[in-house]
Amino acid sequence: MRKNWRNRLVFAYLPVFILVIIVLLWIFFVTMSELSKQQALKANEIYAENTMQYIDSKLRTVEQYIVQTFLDDQSVIDFYSVSPLSKNRYLNDRDVYKKLILLRDSFSEIDSVYLYRTRDQIVLSDTSMMGLDQFSNIKYLNTLIAAPPANRWSIGREYIDNAGVTTSVVSLVMRMPLPLGTDGVLVANIKLHTIAKLVNNVSSSKFSYLHLLDANGDYIISDDTIDGKASQEREDFTVMKSEYTGWTIRSGFIDGVFFRFLSNLNAFWLVFGIITVFGGALWIVYASRQNYKPIQSLLERLSSVPLQRPHILGQVKYDEFKIIDNLLDHLLEQFGKYRLENDENFSYRRRYLFEELLSGTQLQLEEGWEKELSRFGFQETYDQYIVAILEIDKYSNFTSTYNNKDQYLIKFIIDNVVQELNQNAGILICPEWIEKHRLCVVCQLPNETAVGDPFREIMRKTVDWIYKNVSITVTCGLGTKVSGIHKVSSSYEEAIEALSYKTTFGVSSLIEFKDINNKSGEEIFRSLPYVRELVHFYRIGEAEWERHYSALFAEIRIQLFSREQVVNLMNYLLFHFYKEMSGLSAEYLECWREYAMNPINEWIVAFDTVDELEKELHDILEDASRRLDTLREQRSQHDLIDQVKVYIENEYNNPDFSLVMLSEKFKLTPNYLSRLFKEEFGEKFIDYLAGLRIEQAKYLLVTTPVAIQEIAVKVGYTHTFSFIRVFKKLVGRTPGEYRKEFQQS
């Protein structure tokens, strides 16, 4: 565990806290023990009192029964008063004998009972009647007669029965006849064992002992035999004397030593607790002084720091922690400024180095570039590089849809996705936003890596992840792998070149330079015939223009044109449209400019993919075509022009076909027909006828093996030389070259 100041404080005060708590808990325990002791003493007193009351109740019941039985009983009176010579004496003695047996049987506690008559020294017991000299307990009776006991219940003697068995008993002695006779005594004996059973019937405790003593202090019952300890070694906590019998009960706890120990601990632990608390206070004072030394040292060191705002110390003169807090805030504020400046300088330096790396202009002049690699996270031992550029598609829509905060967040996500996908690839990358919509990623590959497949896979996964998880798409241009840091700029230029083909590859795609590197730039000329044919049929209002339109864009996709090439081709299309449409009347030309040329110009600048351009351009041309057809239908000569058009399409292959022949057919002057024809179709009659013948010739050249001379005749040319001259003028190639080109494709 680190030995910081917090831990020092914890281990300085925690032992004091634990010790004080333990002492307080122990004092609480001792207090509860004292309460428990008081309760135990109370319970022991109740236990002894209940025992005494129970014994008194039993003995009192026996005495009361005897009194009730013998007090006014005539047979008992006669036993002591009737003359021995009376003839009813034996019957009377028998009645008394029965009463003695009934008394013994009525109380299970009574072991034996007998009457002694003084005048003739006769003893009548519950078993027999005999003279005193024959009675086995004669010694006790002599002692009893000589010195009557002060208490009715006495102890301290052994009773000998007729079988000679000696038993320790407690005796009830009453003068007879009752209540205060002088003619004899009645003795009722109860075994000490029976007394002990009476005590056990009341209560039996494993924790308390009980001694029963008679009026002379002699033990009637003692539990010394239970644990082998002498009664003198125990402390009697309860001493209770019976007013009835004069007996005494002494009671206490069996484990009296431990009880006395707990009793003696109360004062000791109270003193010990006070000493502990006082010692803990001293400990805290000492620990506080020791732990304050680092704070004092820190305060002294911080106070020596030069401050830009020295008044902050005067505001908290007597609060050390507030002073430290203010000083630290001041230092952190200054550190934040320095760090911000350093980060900005580092960011500028890194951006400058990145631009130099991509441009390659200063790399040959500056030395130590290997040391600068660490700013990009690169290693000097690697010497293979490849560059990729991630471009946000439809950036104008992106900026209009999201605010600045969301734009930064999305760019941050793109940056993080690239870095997270690269974590387990074993290559080094450096991403940097070189433009608002372009993230450039320079990858450094280990020298043993043969190809850039890992990096290509990272870029592909990045493009796919953005497409699936973010509401925008990105397109990646990937250059080729180069050796040496000085050639990074060439890979960068290749990535830029690859991105220019996003127009035909489509958005959210990965475009590698090696896939477009074999383009010669001459493929665009193969699309020019589609442009001329498209414009020709569109100008004359034929639906055939749509077929050539589809063929033009199919050729663009096949040839994989770059955006620049597509833009150049579209500009050529507009130029050709303008050239052909300018021959129409002002009304037609104005309609074309408003509904076709201007919207097409806007889309040439804004489009991203060929698919978008094809759809929007088709919609524009289709709308403008409908509007031009409407204008044609509104003119009075429209039906006449349609008839002329049909007639030309049927007679175009006639070598003698001319404007004069056409005017004679429709009863119009050649000049009027020529002017009307140009207003409707935007070109002269001779040009329209030549275009129609050449279109048919192109079809025959491609679809049939017929010789060029025969094709010339079929389309209306008697001389092959004239046919070849017109064909090359309109198509740009000779008929033979045109046929050879399409046969090769």
Side-chain angles (χ1 to χ4, degrees), residues 475-495:
T475 301
C476 178
L478 186 64
T480 58
K481 186 178 68 171
V482 295
S483 298
I485 192 172
H486 301 289
K487 296 183 180 180
V488 171
S489 58
S490 63
S491 182
Y492 166 71
E493 292 173 357
E494 291 172 354

Side-chain angles (χ1 to χ4, degrees), residues 409-422:
L409 177 60
I410 292 175
K411 291 180 181 179
F412 176 77
I413 291 173
I414 296 174
D415 196 336
N416 274 4
V417 169
V418 174
Q419 298 191 47
E420 289 181 6
L421 291 175
N422 177 64

Side-chain angles (χ1 to χ4, degrees), residues 657-664 668 670-671 673-674 677 685:
F657 191 75
S658 65
L659 182 61
V660 176
M661 179 182 174
L662 187 63
S663 62
E664 290 177 355
L668 297 171
N671 292 333
L673 182 59
S674 176
F677 194 90
F685 165 77

Side-chain angles (χ1 to χ4, degrees), residues 699-718:
Y699 174 76
L700 294 175
L701 286 171
V702 174
T703 59
T704 66
V706 180
I708 295 176
Q709 293 81 358
E710 294 182 17
I711 292 176
V713 174
K714 286 180 178 293
V715 298
Y717 289 98
T718 12

Side-chain angles (χ1 to χ4, degrees), residues 648-657 686 688-701 704 706-720 722-724 726-727 730 735:
I648 293 174
E649 291 174 353
N650 292 331
E651 299 292 335
Y652 73 92
N653 56 355
N654 185 353
D656 298 327
F657 191 75
I686 190 65
Y688 179 80
L689 179 61
L692 191 60
R693 286 175 173 177
I694 296 304
E695 285 297 323
Q696 182 61 22
K698 288 165 58 178
Y699 174 76
L700 294 175
L701 286 171
T704 66
V706 180
I708 295 176
Q709 293 81 358
E710 294 182 17
I711 292 176
V713 174
K714 286 180 178 293
V715 298
Y717 289 98
T718 12
H719 302 289
T720 305
S722 300
F723 168 69
I724 294 175
V726 174
F727 190 95
L730 296 180

Side-chain angles (χ1 to χ4, degrees), residues 123-300:
V123 177
L124 177 61
S125 68
D126 54 348
T127 58
S128 62
M129 185 174 181
M130 65 193 71
L132 179 61
D133 55 348
Q134 298 176 343
F135 189 52
S136 56
N137 294 280
I138 183 173
K139 184 178 179 180
Y140 171 72
L141 279 178
N142 291 330
T143 303
L144 185 64
I145 294 171
N151 297 297
R152 295 182 178 180
W153 292 93
S154 63
I155 193 173
R157 74 182 189 87
E158 303 291 335
Y159 175 74
I160 304 173
D161 59 13
N162 294 335
V165 178
T166 303
T167 305
S168 298
V169 296
V170 174
S171 300
L172 172 63
V173 180
M174 300 180 66
R175 295 180 180 276
M176 298 298 290
L178 296 175
L180 297 174
T182 58
D183 296 334
V185 294
L186 180 145
V187 179
N189 298 316
I190 299 178
K191 294 181 179 180
L192 292 182
H193 177 69
T194 302
I195 299 296
K197 288 177 64 177
L198 291 177
V199 173
N200 290 333
N201 288 338
V202 177
S203 173
S204 179
S205 173
K206 297 180 180 180
F207 305 101
S208 301
Y209 66 88
L210 185 143
H211 294 163
L212 182 62
L213 292 79
D214 63 5
N216 298 325
D218 298 327
Y219 284 93
I220 301 175
I221 297 175
S222 174
D223 64 348
D224 288 347
T225 59
I226 295 177
D227 54 7
K229 296 181 180 179
S231 60
Q232 290 79 4
E233 296 178 359
R234 292 175 173 170
E235 179 180 355
D236 297 329
F237 290 96
T238 302
V239 178
M240 185 174 297
K241 185 175 182 179
S242 173
E243 296 180 357
Y244 169 63
T245 60
W247 296 352
T248 302
I249 285 182
R250 294 181 176 272
S251 179
F253 299 100
I254 295 175
D255 196 0
V257 176
F258 179 72
F259 192 84
R260 287 192 299 272
F261 174 73
L262 291 179
S263 300
N264 295 331
L265 282 181
N266 292 337
F268 169 77
W269 280 109
L270 180 60
V271 174
F272 180 74
I274 295 173
I275 294 174
T276 302
V277 173
F278 181 73
L282 293 178
W283 189 343
I284 291 175
V285 172
Y286 173 76
S288 299
R289 291 175 61 87
Q290 292 297 113
N291 290 325
Y292 181 72
K293 290 181 179 180
I295 299 177
Q296 185 178 10
S297 175
L298 177 62
L299 185 60
E300 292 174 355

Side-chain angles (χ1 to χ4, degrees), residues 28 40-41 112 119 165 204 250 289 313-314 331 432 455 475 656:
F28 172 77
L41 291 175
S112 60
R119 59 182 173 83
V165 178
S204 179
R250 294 181 176 272
R289 291 175 61 87
L313 295 180
L331 292 177
E432 185 75 25
F455 184 61
T475 301
D656 298 327

